[in-house]
Amino acid sequence: MSGKTIPYHLRVNKIIERNLFIELLRIIDRYSPINDYTYIGMGGPFMEDFKYIHSSFNLKNMISIEMDENVNRRQSFNLPYSCINHKNNMKIEEYIDTFIFEDPTIIWLDYTEPKELSRHLQELQVLTSKLNSGDILKITLNANAKSLNQNLEERMTKAKDRLTQYSPPDLCDEDLREENYPQTLVNAINIACKAGLAGRTGYVIQPLTAYSYADGQTMTTATAIVLSDAQKINFFDKTKICDWREYSNEWSEVKSIKVPHLSAREKIFIESRLPKLTAEEIISEMGYFIGENFSDAESEMESFTKYYLEYPQFSRVIS
């Protein structure tokens, strides 16, 4: 089952990443009011990102891009707010090519198909060439290394074919291991963004966050803001983003979000011991570990101790 087809309420790691994105936007709001922005996204059938962003910042201008006719119909049925403008039967590359970025813009390219990596990076390059100072871009890519090949030794040819001109110059077999591939993709994102700004003097692409997560297949996502040279110092002064634990300067560290799936009782038990106890101490006190083996369970518990405030709370509702 791919991440795209998993019901949203089961995608715990993606929800945490999305909550962190909202937290990031709150920080940027200190520099430029987010409710002045236009949000452009690929909302899928449930329009969840539109719900999150509108409810958090009361955005009035929101644009949904969708090519699949059936998904369009489902979006219309699930439409959460009247301020969302549907662009039906339109590919994201067509929209990027024709849209004039005049107002402040947040745009999220949310891709799932690993075979289209080269096209996705090309679209990112074109997008970056059109954005203005203060515009925020986010891109999500499929980081399932096994989509290249099951065998590590045979992945290089397929990787270079997909990455094309965005391949990191020192790409090696180690970069194509499952645990390293998200960082490799973020390096390619960096190359595409810089290519988009080539020739645009006075602008920089400022990395902000980079994550990998898996609710099915592994995904990697990175967020950046375009800034003019004149505004860069002002941005850091107003946002104080360098003090934020999630800030990822130069995209040199892809943070992993991989939390355990917990029962309501387990979640309450663990949270009652945070932030004082460590993951190892909590597992010891519970008397069992949650996962396929102790090493993975400890790693996931450590991730939970870091992101428990962003962990979603699900409740049964009886009407």
Side-chain angles (χ1 to χ4, degrees):
M1 181 179 286
S2 71
K4 187 176 182 180
T5 58
I6 295 174
Y8 186 82
H9 67 281
L10 299 180
R11 301 166 73 178
V12 176
N13 295 299
K14 185 178 180 67
I15 294 173
I16 291 173
E17 191 279 325
R18 190 163 284 171
N19 287 338
L20 291 167
F21 181 52
I22 296 298
E23 190 173 343
L24 171 62
L25 293 180
R26 292 193 192 284
I27 292 172
I28 297 175
D29 188 62
R30 303 169 189 166
Y31 166 74
S32 181
I34 294 298
N35 62 6
D36 290 339
Y37 278 70
T38 295
Y39 175 73
I40 303 170
M42 304 154 72
F46 304 114
M47 311 292 288
E48 291 295 338
D49 53 321
F50 287 83
K51 294 177 187 176
Y52 270 59
I53 292 174
H54 178 78
S55 63
S56 298
F57 300 101
N58 195 27
L59 265 69
K60 298 296 193 299
N61 298 314
M62 309 187 84
I63 300 170
S64 174
I65 312 297
E66 180 55 59
M67 184 62 188
D68 187 278
E69 183 177 350
N70 191 63
V71 174
N72 272 319
R73 292 172 181 166
R74 202 170 175 190
Q75 281 185 345
S76 296
F77 184 85
N78 291 320
L79 188 69
Y81 307 112
S82 62
C83 60
I84 300 174
N85 179 17
H86 280 272
K87 297 294 182 180
N88 296 342
N89 303 316
M90 176 177 282
K91 294 181 178 179
I92 188 66
E93 61 264 35
E94 297 175 30
Y95 190 79
I96 292 172
D97 286 341
T98 58
F99 187 70
I100 299 174
F101 294 86
E102 295 179 330
D103 298 326
T105 301
I106 303 166
I107 183 167
W108 184 352
L109 306 178
D110 193 1
Y111 299 117
T112 59
E113 179 51 63
K115 295 180 181 179
E116 299 296 326
L117 177 60
S118 178
R119 178 173 62 83
H120 298 160
L121 292 170
Q122 176 65 33
E123 289 167 10
L124 175 63
Q125 177 180 340
V126 174
L127 172 64
T128 309
S129 72
K130 302 183 72 172
L131 295 179
N132 300 307
S133 183
D135 288 346
I136 301 161
L137 68 89
K138 179 176 181 178
I139 181 169
T140 301
L141 298 172
N142 189 307
N144 176 24
K146 290 182 179 179
S147 70
L148 300 170
N149 198 291
Q150 290 288 335
N151 298 319
L152 175 63
E153 297 77 12
E154 300 178 16
R155 290 176 185 172
M156 183 60 71
T157 300
K158 183 63 68 67
K160 288 186 175 180
D161 180 58
R162 290 184 182 176
L163 289 166
T164 59
Q165 69 264 36
Y166 308 108
S167 175
D170 55 351
L171 188 69
C172 64
D173 286 343
E174 285 296 307
D175 298 325
L176 305 179
R177 290 188 179 275
E178 293 172 53
E179 64 270 23
N180 298 329
Y181 193 46
Q183 182 66 65
T184 299
L185 290 181
V186 170
N187 293 340
I189 289 170
N190 188 24
I191 292 170
C193 287
K194 288 182 176 178
L197 284 186
R200 296 184 66 191
T201 57
Y203 287 89
V204 296
I205 184 80
Q206 178 58 51
L208 299 173
T209 61
Y211 299 101
S212 68
Y213 60 87
D215 295 295
Q217 295 189 11
T218 302
M219 308 296 289
T220 190
T221 186
T223 304
I225 186 169
V226 175
L227 295 169
S228 67
D229 289 337
Q231 285 297 317
K232 189 172 181 179
I233 294 176
N234 190 33
F235 172 78
F236 283 104
D237 283 346
K238 286 189 173 182
T239 62
K240 310 298 182 186
I241 195 169
C242 293
D243 299 329
W244 188 41
R245 62 172 188 174
E246 299 300 310
Y247 175 59
S248 184
N249 188 30
E250 299 299 331
W251 286 330
S252 57
E253 179 189 2
V254 179
K255 296 179 171 64
S256 175
I257 301 173
K258 189 177 181 182
V259 299
H261 289 273
L262 304 171
S263 70
R265 189 171 183 177
E266 287 169 337
K267 182 174 182 291
I268 293 170
F269 178 91
I270 296 168
E271 288 180 339
S272 70
R273 283 142 179 87
L274 292 173
K276 185 177 180 180
L277 297 188
T278 66
E280 185 177 3
E281 290 170 334
I282 291 171
I283 293 173
S284 176
E285 189 172 336
M286 293 178 74
Y288 62 91
F289 61 84
I290 302 170
E292 295 184 2
N293 56 69
F294 182 82
S295 178
D296 288 347
E298 186 175 32
S299 176
E300 291 184 15
M301 186 64 75
E302 287 177 354
S303 187
F304 182 83
T305 64
K306 184 176 181 181
Y307 296 120
Y308 69 97
L309 294 178
E310 289 80 25
Y311 193 96
Q313 177 67 55
F314 301 119
S315 300
R316 184 182 180 190
V317 177
I318 300 175
S319 58

